[in-house]
Amino acid sequence: MSEQTSTPTTAPGVSPAHEIQLRAVTVVDRKAPTMFAILTIGLALIVGFGSQEGDTSFRLAVPTDFFELPTVTVPSTATTWLLVLVCAALAAYSFFLLTRKQNTRLWLVVLFALAWMTGFLAWAGADATLPVVGLLAGSLAVAVPLVFGAMGGVLGERSGVVNIAIDGQLLFGAFAAAMIGSLTGSTWAGLGAAMVAGLLVAAVLGVFAISYMVDQVIVGVVLNVLIIGITSFMFSQVLAPNAATLNHPPRFERWAIPVLGDIPLVGPIFFRQTPIVYLLYIAVALVTWALYRTKWGLRVRAVGEHPKAADTVGIKVNRTRFRTILLGGAIAGMGGAFYTLVSVPQFNREMTGGAGYIALAAVIFGKWDPIRATLAALLFGFASNLQGVLSVIGSPVPSQFMLMLPYVVTIFAVAGLVGRSRAPAADGIPYRTDNH
Amino acid sequence: MKLELRGITKRFGTLTANDRISLTVEPGEIHCLLGENGAGKSTLMNVLYGLYRADEGEIVLNDEVQHFTGPGDAMAAGIGMVHQHFMLIPVFTVAENVMLGNEATGFAGSLDLEASRQRVVEISERFGFHVNPDSVVEELPVGVQQRVEIIKALSRDAEVLVFDEPTAVLTPQETDELMGIMRQLKEAGKAIVFITHKLREVREVADKITVIRLGKVVGEAEPTASNKELAAMMVGRPVELTVRKGPPKLGDEALIVTDLRVIDHLGHVHVDDISFTIKRGEVLAVAGVQGNGQTELTEALLGLQDHVTGSIELDGHQLVGRSVRQILDAGVGFIPEDRQTDGLVGPMTIAENFMLDRSHTEPFVRRGTLQLDTLEKFATKLLKQYDVRAPGITTPAGQLSGGNQQKVVVARELSRDLRLLVAAQPTRGVDVGSIEFIHTQIVATRDSGVPVLVVSTELDEVVALADRIMVLYRGHIVGIVPPDTPREVLGLMMTGERPEGAVA
Amino acid sequence: MSTPTVDKKPPVKPGERDGDRWNRILRDIVAGNAAVAFFSVLLAVIVGSLLIMFTDEQVRDTFGYITARPSDFLTASWDAISGAYGALFRGSVYNNQADDFATAIRPLTETLKFAGPLIAAGLGVGLAFRASMFNIGGRGQMLLAGAASGWVGYQFEWPWPIHLAVAIIAGMVAGALWGGLAGFLKARTGAHEVIVTIMLNYVGFYLVFFALATQSLLQAPNSANPKSLPMKESATLPKLLGDRYNLHLGFLLALVAVAVVWWILNRSSLGFRIRAVGENPAAARTAGIDVGRTYTIVMLIAGALVGLAGANQVLGTVTSGITTDLDAGIGFDAITVALLGRSRPVGILFAGLLFGAFKAGGFAMQASQNIPVDIVLVIQSLIVLFIAAPPLVRAIFRLPAREA
């Protein structure tokens, strides 16, 4: 975050002569406006060269709503051009802020993203009807494990432990949920088992990365391979031959929340979901609150920023880190359960398909903040799901490019093209206690 | 509260950092712990604070033997510490930093930030600190950050306060203020341990002085003792504070710096439009409190800074905008202020470190291939010439003592064909024997007709080496004065005041 | 970390007798890396054994009445474990059940065949490690390299050695560019190469997938499968020991790569700069070494080495056409190879041979004993975990601690 202006905040009454103050030149982040401009031009080029005939319909309703929203039908090309103009206006405003030495706010980014996406959909969905509710609900479904994984990742990294093993935690969680769920016939037991599984992976990560100070990235990468090995081995050796008893877990039912679930558009997307999804809402809220508003969170952040300082005020650095990654592991494990207790009612080898790496990407793209990471995970889920929907309605964009999107966006993010991210200062650095 | 240390011994492997150290601090007393860098002062305090566990000996508070397993225990027992490197979380506010580890909580562990804010305001008002509880620490000036450290200790009702080299980063005026604060705390009945290696400060506030050298208590002294006596105790033999050097044989102006400005990536202006020159055969010493642009100035000379405007001309060649490689090739020798970070590659051998900045060209590289025989001969010769005490040229540089590491850096730089030498803190953390050796080498370089820029925060070193002294304050040149300028004037200049008669 | 390059003789203290010295050397071996490596492998194999044992039907059945007849349980366990490792050995080194020597020795050639790309890619990861860069992008680099090599391999009609050489170089260049991109981004923007290379794996995968699914690009004409045409004969790596064995020239190329990387690291000025940057980038920068450029160069070379592994796969091991799984997990295995080999070229050579043996043997084990080949992944990753934590291994086996 380079948007720092250095006007040292001092209480009145302190004579400035006592301090070393540096004259400062204001530096404003010009990345957001630049990015806006590039994207706007990109969209303009798409419609300019790939002009699509016909109309695009957005279906907003499902039959059970309080009242039915109409299906919106718009002329494809004209709408897209209109939204290109909207995007251009937003980009211009962002540049205007830049000249006024102000930074682009989050709401502006969200607004821009909405306008751009709608414009893109209007173009891509020409001569077809886009099931908006299905598209968004499907996106949420894809995003659930990502958000859980990202929460686990945020917790770990905020305490100073890089967790590359999110994928392993998801996979092991999915495996445990399938097996224990099948054995007990209880979805909740399966969910519990998934949490324990995620926690176990985190424990191994902790032993090696914290106690033995092995490079955290190495441990994470190797753990992922280890979990793939173990689950695939067990799958072939034990689960597949005994599929009926060991790989036939029950599924979570959908619980429609009264009233909320009947709100048009919002209801079917967010409030007619399985309990795991409701747990997700709670998890995100709790993690955010705990991280910023509690004693525990203050300590976790302290340990991730400046462990030595935390140590000198009596906080046990490595113990705090260990507990935090265990909690993160349990949360990530719940994401794994979503695969086998909601999405597909059985375990398959490598069934997460590297989702943990997307979750990791969401953590970074979300600047190590629970809410932003959640939004990032939702965006990535949307991109993956959009690809499926577009291929059904016959869109001109190759599906591989949609699937590639989260990864490309993340590269842009870490390369600082969409705003410099600032990781917790001690992220990835083991803490050696001198107490011997 | 009365603090007693009895026979504290702490070993690291074969090194004995503290050897049966005993001392007693009474409440309402400022007890100075005086010693050179590396004498074992900080180790002792880390033992006291529970960061290290002593191999032998005990810590006694009010006649009760303590067993600290960590800083938490020490704090609970009433010990507070103001660390040399501030132990503050840069991205937290003052209130958050003060409450950390000692948090007031409300419902379900939620933070009671208001309680902490009030505590900060209350302590701040009592001692006249003027600290805003809502400021983010990284945006505060160093002096204020230090006050936050003190508030942190006081908010935990510390009765014993340890100040570990607290003045290293302060201006003389801030130092005076700190002395005032220490006296105030003493009057409030606190027992204070003041660790330093600066004699003047000791004599100003100390009630009692304990001198340690090489991990042992070598004696106690009264505040009335003279500088010379204290210094002799500290280093073990009478020291010569001046370097033997003749008058300079000045040549032409070799280095001409004009309107130099250095900005960092956040937009802070560290060096603000300064101009100066150095003649052949002259040492220009830069004085100033740490953090007033010295680091940025030397780095700019070497091409290590990214945003540099103005002009640096060496023998008629423009250096601004050129790469480090090109500047080194132009004959600039550079002794960085932090040898561990910038001067040496620790795990590489001494020989490899000798060729570190000559890895592109002959004689050590020919057609992309290392010339190991040449390097071996060269390194063996240099090792002897510069009196580097090491088992051999294949010893990893990181295993050497601080003084020998510094000699490796000095040897590497001075063995090149130099047209300018830039030496930043050339003797920081170096034993007395090596200091003399390095000073002699710097003077010899000057006498061979090379212009030399020396940066040091130790006024003694500046005065000893300089042919002219340039004082920097907040990136500006306060003045360029002759080496016989009185210390008081130099001290005043370091606070930014321009005395009458100083040549700008 | 750095290897002493000038003075090979360890300093011998005066008066030290030969006997003492031997004692010390022995002690160094026991306490040192060699012992830790050995015991790490042993520990991993033991854990693997337990996994095999407890998932074996027979063993579990006999476990049901272990108190009544413990001998049954022990026999079953022994059968399961010895069967597994026997098959592993027969599949990777020497098949004592074969009719003639030529067949019996075939597994060893398989091991070498598998080891080739592991060594090449392992060098790519290991070299980056030496500059303290973590190249997790092996998969993407291999895919891009395989696609490039394969395209040259099926598209053109050139005489044998030239066609092959161009195909290999094309792969290495593609790998270099994909790897170099990560280095370049780190150099220019500070983007962490771990994240970038992971992301580039997926981007590379979808790119190659897209190309293989598009008629005008790599997809074989009139086919719906994401697969290219097979390689021309003139672009394939020739078999080294005749058609009886699958071992091809790729293994020798990997050996050449070992020598080249050794020279770069220990004898070239580039290697000197790589090591300096890896150990202390700040000091390297102060000494006039362009750190960013070094990052880029290292990742270019690393990508080229991984690219060699990709070319090896497409032009040697599976010549029937480019697919999206041409990397066969080597991109990730390379990380474990580099770690086991401690980022030293010769260490990587041996680590590659070991893991090559695991691969060859793993498939044999699956075929004859019905033990899923995934057990190899488990053992491999455990070895690396243990080897990375020497104190743990020492504690388990009560080895003497190493003096600092």
Side-chain angles (χ1 to χ4, degrees), chain B residues 184-222:
Chain B
Q184 248 181 306
L185 292 169
K186 164 182 148 180
E187 267 141 41
K190 314 279 182 197
I192 294 175
V193 182
F194 177 28
I195 302 172
T196 184
H197 65 279
K198 295 185 182 168
L199 306 175
R200 250 180 307 280
E201 296 165 5
V202 171
R203 296 201 303 139
E204 196 174 322
V205 291
D207 297 312
K208 231 195 251 175
I209 301 170
T210 298
V211 184
I212 62 175
R213 168 160 40 98
L214 298 173
K216 286 187 192 142
V217 173
V218 291
E220 299 197 351
E222 293 302 313

Coordinates of all heavy atoms in Angstrom, one line a residue, chain B residues 184-222:
Chain B
Q184 N 12.9 12.2 36.6 CA 11.6 12.2 37.1 C 11.2 10.8 37.7 O 10.6 10.7 38.7 CB 10.6 12.5 36.0 CG 10.0 13.9 36.1 CD 9.0 14.0 34.9 OE1 9.5 13.9 33.7 NE2 7.8 14.3 35.1
L185 N 11.5 9.8 36.9 CA 11.1 8.4 37.3 C 11.8 8.0 38.5 O 11.3 7.4 39.4 CB 11.5 7.4 36.1 CG 10.7 7.6 34.8 CD1 11.3 6.8 33.7 CD2 9.3 7.1 35.1
K186 N 13.1 8.5 38.7 CA 13.9 8.2 39.8 C 13.2 8.8 41.1 O 13.0 8.2 42.1 CB 15.3 8.7 39.6 CG 16.1 8.9 40.9 CD 17.4 9.5 40.5 CE 18.0 10.3 41.6 NZ 19.3 10.9 41.2
E187 N 12.7 10.1 40.9 CA 12.1 10.7 42.0 C 10.8 10.0 42.4 O 10.3 10.0 43.5 CB 11.8 12.2 41.7 CG 12.9 13.1 42.2 CD 13.2 14.2 41.2 OE1 12.2 14.8 40.7 OE2 14.4 14.5 41.0
A188 N 10.1 9.4 41.4 CA 8.9 8.6 41.6 C 9.3 7.3 42.3 O 8.4 6.4 42.5 CB 8.1 8.4 40.3
G189 N 10.5 7.0 42.6 CA 10.9 5.9 43.4 C 11.2 4.6 42.6 O 11.4 3.5 43.1
K190 N 11.4 4.8 41.3 CA 11.7 3.6 40.5 C 13.2 3.3 40.6 O 14.0 4.3 40.7 CB 11.4 3.9 39.0 CG 10.0 4.5 38.7 CD 8.9 3.5 38.8 CE 7.6 4.1 38.5 NZ 6.5 3.3 38.9
A191 N 13.6 2.1 40.5 CA 15.0 1.7 40.3 C 15.3 1.6 38.9 O 14.6 1.0 38.1 CB 15.2 0.3 41.0
I192 N 16.4 2.4 38.5 CA 16.6 2.5 37.0 C 18.0 1.9 36.7 O 19.0 2.3 37.3 CB 16.5 4.0 36.6 CG1 15.1 4.4 36.8 CG2 17.0 4.1 35.2 CD1 14.8 5.8 36.5
V193 N 18.0 1.1 35.7 CA 19.3 0.6 35.1 C 19.5 1.3 33.8 O 18.6 1.2 32.9 CB 19.3 -0.9 35.0 CG1 20.7 -1.4 34.4 CG2 19.0 -1.6 36.3
F194 N 20.6 1.9 33.6 CA 20.8 2.7 32.4 C 22.1 2.1 31.7 O 23.2 2.2 32.2 CB 21.0 4.2 32.8 CG 21.4 5.1 31.6 CD1 21.0 4.8 30.3 CD2 22.1 6.3 31.9 CE1 21.3 5.7 29.3 CE2 22.4 7.1 30.9 CZ 22.0 6.8 29.6
I195 N 21.9 1.5 30.6 CA 23.0 0.8 29.9 C 23.5 1.7 28.8 O 22.7 2.2 28.0 CB 22.5 -0.5 29.2 CG1 21.9 -1.4 30.3 CG2 23.6 -1.2 28.5 CD1 21.3 -2.6 29.8
T196 N 24.8 2.0 28.7 CA 25.3 2.9 27.7 C 26.8 2.7 27.6 O 27.4 2.0 28.4 CB 25.0 4.3 28.1 OG1 25.4 5.2 27.0 CG2 25.7 4.7 29.3
H197 N 27.3 3.2 26.5 CA 28.8 3.3 26.4 C 29.2 4.7 26.2 O 30.3 5.0 25.8 CB 29.3 2.4 25.2 CG 28.8 2.8 23.9 ND1 27.6 2.6 23.4 CD2 29.5 3.6 22.9 CE1 27.5 3.1 22.2 NE2 28.6 3.7 21.9
K198 N 28.3 5.6 26.4 CA 28.6 7.0 26.3 C 28.9 7.7 27.6 O 28.1 7.7 28.5 CB 27.5 7.8 25.6 CG 27.3 7.3 24.2 CD 26.3 8.1 23.4 CE 26.1 7.5 22.0 NZ 24.9 8.0 21.3
L199 N 30.1 8.1 27.8 CA 30.6 8.5 29.1 C 29.9 9.8 29.6 O 29.5 9.9 30.8 CB 32.1 8.8 29.0 CG 32.9 7.6 28.5 CD1 34.4 8.0 28.3 CD2 32.8 6.5 29.4
R200 N 29.7 10.7 28.7 CA 29.1 12.0 29.1 C 27.7 11.8 29.8 O 27.4 12.3 30.8 CB 28.9 12.9 27.9 CG 29.8 14.1 27.9 CD 29.6 14.9 26.7 NE 29.6 14.1 25.5 CZ 30.8 13.8 24.9 NH1 31.9 14.2 25.4 NH2 30.8 13.1 23.8
E201 N 26.9 10.9 29.2 CA 25.6 10.7 29.7 C 25.6 10.0 31.1 O 24.9 10.3 32.0 CB 24.8 9.7 28.7 CG 24.6 10.4 27.4 CD 24.2 9.4 26.3 OE1 24.0 8.2 26.7 OE2 24.1 9.8 25.2
V202 N 26.6 9.1 31.2 CA 26.7 8.5 32.5 C 27.0 9.5 33.6 O 26.3 9.5 34.6 CB 27.9 7.5 32.4 CG1 28.2 6.9 33.8 CG2 27.6 6.4 31.5
R203 N 27.9 10.3 33.3 CA 28.3 11.3 34.4 C 27.2 12.2 34.7 O 27.1 12.8 35.8 CB 29.6 12.0 34.0 CG 30.8 11.0 33.9 CD 32.1 11.6 34.0 NE 32.2 12.7 33.0 CZ 32.7 13.9 33.2 NH1 33.2 14.1 34.4 NH2 32.8 14.7 32.3
E204 N 26.3 12.4 33.7 CA 25.3 13.4 33.9 C 24.2 12.9 34.9 O 23.7 13.6 35.7 CB 24.6 13.8 32.6 CG 23.8 15.0 32.6 CD 23.3 15.4 31.3 OE1 24.1 15.2 30.3 OE2 22.2 15.8 31.1
V205 N 23.8 11.6 34.7 CA 22.6 11.1 35.5 C 22.9 10.1 36.6 O 22.1 9.8 37.4 CB 21.5 10.6 34.6 CG1 20.9 11.7 33.9 CG2 22.0 9.5 33.7
A206 N 24.1 9.4 36.5 CA 24.3 8.2 37.3 C 24.4 8.5 38.8 O 25.0 9.5 39.1 CB 25.5 7.5 36.8
D207 N 23.8 7.6 39.6 CA 24.1 7.7 41.0 C 25.3 6.7 41.3 O 26.0 6.9 42.2 CB 22.9 7.3 41.8 CG 21.8 8.3 41.6 OD1 22.0 9.5 41.7 OD2 20.6 7.9 41.3
K208 N 25.3 5.6 40.5 CA 26.3 4.6 40.7 C 26.7 4.1 39.4 O 25.9 4.1 38.4 CB 25.7 3.4 41.5 CG 26.5 3.0 42.8 CD 26.0 1.7 43.2 CE 25.2 1.7 44.5 NZ 24.6 0.4 44.9
I209 N 27.9 3.7 39.2 CA 28.4 3.2 37.9 C 29.0 1.8 38.1 O 29.9 1.7 38.9 CB 29.4 4.2 37.3 CG1 28.8 5.6 37.1 CG2 29.9 3.6 35.9 CD1 29.8 6.6 36.7
T210 N 28.6 0.9 37.3 CA 29.3 -0.4 37.2 C 29.9 -0.6 35.8 O 29.1 -0.4 34.8 CB 28.4 -1.6 37.6 OG1 27.9 -1.4 38.9 CG2 29.1 -2.9 37.5
V211 N 31.1 -0.9 35.7 CA 31.8 -1.0 34.4 C 32.0 -2.5 34.1 O 32.5 -3.2 35.0 CB 33.1 -0.3 34.4 CG1 33.7 -0.4 33.0 CG2 33.0 1.2 34.8
I212 N 31.5 -2.9 33.0 CA 31.9 -4.3 32.6 C 32.6 -4.4 31.3 O 32.5 -3.5 30.4 CB 30.6 -5.2 32.5 CG1 29.6 -4.8 31.4 CG2 29.9 -5.3 33.8 CD1 28.5 -5.7 31.3
R213 N 33.5 -5.4 31.3 CA 34.3 -5.6 30.1 C 34.5 -7.1 29.9 O 34.7 -7.8 30.8 CB 35.7 -5.0 30.3 CG 36.8 -5.3 29.3 CD 37.9 -4.4 29.2 NE 38.3 -3.9 30.6 CZ 39.4 -4.5 31.3 NH1 40.1 -5.4 30.7 NH2 39.7 -4.0 32.4
L214 N 34.3 -7.5 28.6 CA 34.4 -8.9 28.3 C 33.6 -9.8 29.2 O 34.0 -10.9 29.6 CB 35.9 -9.4 28.3 CG 36.8 -8.6 27.3 CD1 38.3 -9.0 27.5 CD2 36.4 -8.9 25.9
G215 N 32.4 -9.3 29.5 CA 31.5 -10.2 30.3 C 31.7 -10.1 31.8 O 31.0 -10.8 32.5
K216 N 32.7 -9.4 32.3 CA 33.0 -9.4 33.7 C 32.9 -8.0 34.3 O 33.1 -7.0 33.6 CB 34.4 -9.8 34.0 CG 34.7 -11.3 33.8 CD 36.1 -11.7 34.3 CE 36.4 -13.1 33.9 NZ 37.7 -13.3 33.4
V217 N 32.5 -7.9 35.6 CA 32.5 -6.6 36.2 C 34.0 -6.2 36.5 O 34.7 -7.0 37.1 CB 31.7 -6.6 37.6 CG1 31.9 -5.3 38.3 CG2 30.3 -6.9 37.3
V218 N 34.4 -5.1 36.0 CA 35.8 -4.7 36.2 C 35.9 -3.7 37.3 O 37.0 -3.3 37.7 CB 36.5 -4.3 34.9 CG1 36.7 -5.4 34.0 CG2 35.7 -3.1 34.3
G219 N 34.8 -3.1 37.7 CA 34.9 -2.2 38.8 C 33.7 -1.3 38.9 O 32.8 -1.3 38.1
E220 N 33.7 -0.5 40.0 CA 32.6 0.4 40.2 C 33.2 1.8 40.3 O 34.4 1.9 40.6 CB 31.8 0.1 41.5 CG 31.2 -1.3 41.4 CD 30.0 -1.4 42.4 OE1 29.9 -0.6 43.3 OE2 29.4 -2.5 42.3
A221 N 32.5 2.8 39.9 CA 33.0 4.1 39.9 C 32.0 5.1 40.4 O 30.8 4.8 40.3 CB 33.5 4.5 38.5
E222 N 32.5 6.3 40.8 CA 31.6 7.3 41.2 C 31.3 8.2 40.0 O 32.2 8.3 39.1 CB 32.2 8.2 42.3 CG 32.4 7.4 43.6 CD 31.1 6.9 44.1 OE1 30.1 7.6 44.2 OE2 31.0 5.7 44.5

